Amino acid sequence: WSILLLSTQVFDAPGCIGRPTVNPALAQSRQVKSLCETSSGHRAVAHSMANVKCHAPQPTVSKSHASEASPPGWAKPVALFCLVTHNVAVVFMMRYTQVVRRTNGSAPYLASATVVTTELLKLVAAFALVAHEQGGPRPALQEIVRVVMDAPRDLLKLSIPGLLYAGQNNLLFLALAHLSSAKYLVTYQLKTLSTALLSVVFLQRSLSFLQWIALFALSCGVAVIQISGGQATSEKAGGNETMGFCAVIAACFTSGFAGVYMEKELKHTAVSLWIRNVQLALVGAPMALMATLYWDGAQIWQAGFFQGYDSLVWVVVFLNAFGGLAIAAVLRYADNIV
């Protein structure tokens, strides 16, 4: 009976076209004969059943979908290395160009204008990567138009993280104008806590007990830094530490929510990672430009959009632009908490 049951399950298994067509009388005689066989006969039947194969056509997987499902082994460590390098470099460069450079008498630049320039450069870089994937600028443009036309609502959905990322970048410039680099780096790690909480709520991700302990220890460490750090550094630089701390906290939550939202979009879609970045930049750049014109329109009218720009400011722009691409790669190949 177990052999007969096994034969039924084999022919009903997914991927088989269907049961073989057998004469009912012949099938009944075979069943009676199989029940009366000896143990050697059972082994023979089992051996014959083991050789039964389903000749159904196997589904083919395209190369692009295969690469999306199983990224290369080097992708995650390279993305994480680029992200860590970016996080360290961009903080010190932003702090230097905003505070130290200003005390030396250099002309200030508009932080909101650098956010717009960053989004435009990110758009160009993402398009170049799409062109590399598609084999040229023209196929890349055709693919982007096809993706946008096939799913126009996706562009509308990306307006949420586009707005959040634009606001987050402006908040980070504000925080670094009022906090020291070390205190900013430590406090900004609270985005790990906010991201973990939002991942549990929106992505139904479960965290282990040790992970919760680590998040609690991180929160305690930030609290100790804030209590014992003092205000000497920020006062020397003419900054307001309370305003800087509030800006970092707001940036942590905007970063966490936008990251969780983007992780959900990136990991459950067949669209290329770089096409998603093109879409995000297409939404984020106009939003950042509108915010810049609203807050700093008068200064732009007087001294120009690129006032105070020099080589160091352009380094900040490049770091922020390519850091955004590294973050997107981490969201695809790792996860948001990382």
Side-chain angles (χ1 to χ4, degrees):
W1 287 109
S2 62
I3 295 174
L4 292 174
L5 181 61
L6 175 62
S7 64
T8 304
Q9 293 175 348
V10 167
F11 287 119
D12 281 340
C16 294
I17 298 176
R19 295 176 182 268
T21 304
V22 181
N23 189 334
L26 180 61
Q28 183 176 5
S29 63
R30 285 180 179 176
Q31 291 177 3
V32 173
K33 183 179 179 181
S34 64
L35 292 175
C36 299
E37 286 180 342
T38 60
S39 58
S40 60
H42 283 291
R43 287 196 298 269
V45 174
H47 179 72
S48 63
M49 292 304 303
N51 291 329
V52 174
K53 294 182 180 179
C54 297
H55 298 286
Q58 298 298 325
T60 58
V61 181
S62 63
K63 291 184 179 179
S64 60
H65 289 178
S67 61
E68 294 293 337
S70 57
W74 53 264
K76 183 186 293 187
V78 169
L80 291 177
F81 175 78
C82 293
L83 184 61
V84 171
T85 305
H86 160 263
N87 285 342
V88 175
V90 74
V91 168
F92 286 100
M93 289 303 299
M94 288 170 64
R95 175 69 179 177
Y96 180 82
T97 55
Q98 278 205 296
V99 178
V100 180
R101 181 171 159 273
R102 188 182 302 170
T103 59
N104 296 334
S106 301
Y109 64 93
L110 299 177
S112 58
T114 62
V115 174
V116 179
T117 311
T118 298
E119 291 296 325
L120 293 175
L121 183 59
K122 192 186 302 181
L123 175 62
V124 174
F127 180 80
L129 291 169
V130 175
H132 176 72
E133 282 185 345
Q134 299 296 324
R138 186 172 181 177
L141 184 60
Q142 293 174 346
E143 180 66 15
I144 293 171
V145 173
R146 184 193 66 79
V147 170
V148 173
M149 296 302 295
D150 287 348
R153 293 184 61 183
D154 285 355
L155 202 62
L156 183 62
K157 290 179 181 179
L158 290 175
S159 62
I160 298 175
L163 178 61
L164 291 174
Y165 280 133
Q168 171 199 339
N169 290 332
N170 283 283
L171 287 170
L172 295 183
F173 275 102
L174 177 63
L176 279 170
H178 297 283
L179 294 176
S180 65
S181 299
K183 185 169 290 189
Y184 165 85
L185 277 172
V186 174
T187 307
Y188 193 46
Q189 301 312 308
L190 284 177
K191 68 180 180 180
T192 306
L193 176 62
S194 63
T195 303
L197 295 176
L198 292 170
S199 297
V200 172
V201 174
F202 293 104
L203 300 179
Q204 285 77 45
R205 177 170 292 147
S206 60
L207 302 179
S208 65
F209 178 73
L210 289 178
Q211 287 176 317
W212 284 115
I213 293 296
L215 292 173
F216 177 75
L218 173 64
S219 304
C220 293
V222 173
V224 169
I225 290 294
Q226 291 299 323
I227 294 173
S228 61
Q231 298 186 359
T233 303
S234 61
E235 288 176 355
K236 286 181 182 179
N240 186 335
E241 189 169 281
T242 303
M243 180 180 294
F245 180 74
C246 292
V248 172
I249 295 300
C252 288
F253 279 95
T254 56
S255 173
F257 184 79
V260 169
Y261 187 93
M262 285 300 297
E263 180 180 349
K264 185 176 181 180
E265 291 295 319
L266 285 175
K267 287 197 171 181
H268 296 84
T269 181
V271 179
S272 167
L273 170 66
W274 309 123
I275 292 181
R276 280 293 188 219
N277 276 272
V278 170
Q279 292 178 303
L280 190 61
L282 285 173
V283 174
M287 291 185 174
L289 180 60
M290 287 188 291
T292 301
L293 294 177
Y294 179 80
W295 294 107
D296 299 317
Q299 298 184 48
I300 293 174
W301 181 260
Q302 292 177 358
F305 188 84
F306 296 102
Q307 56 183 288
Y309 271 54
D310 58 11
S311 58
L312 293 178
V313 178
W314 280 109
V315 169
V316 172
V317 171
F318 273 86
L319 286 173
N320 278 322
F322 291 101
L325 298 178
I327 292 173
V330 169
L331 292 181
R332 170 57 63 89
Y333 299 131
D335 58 47
N336 229 310
I337 299 178
V338 174

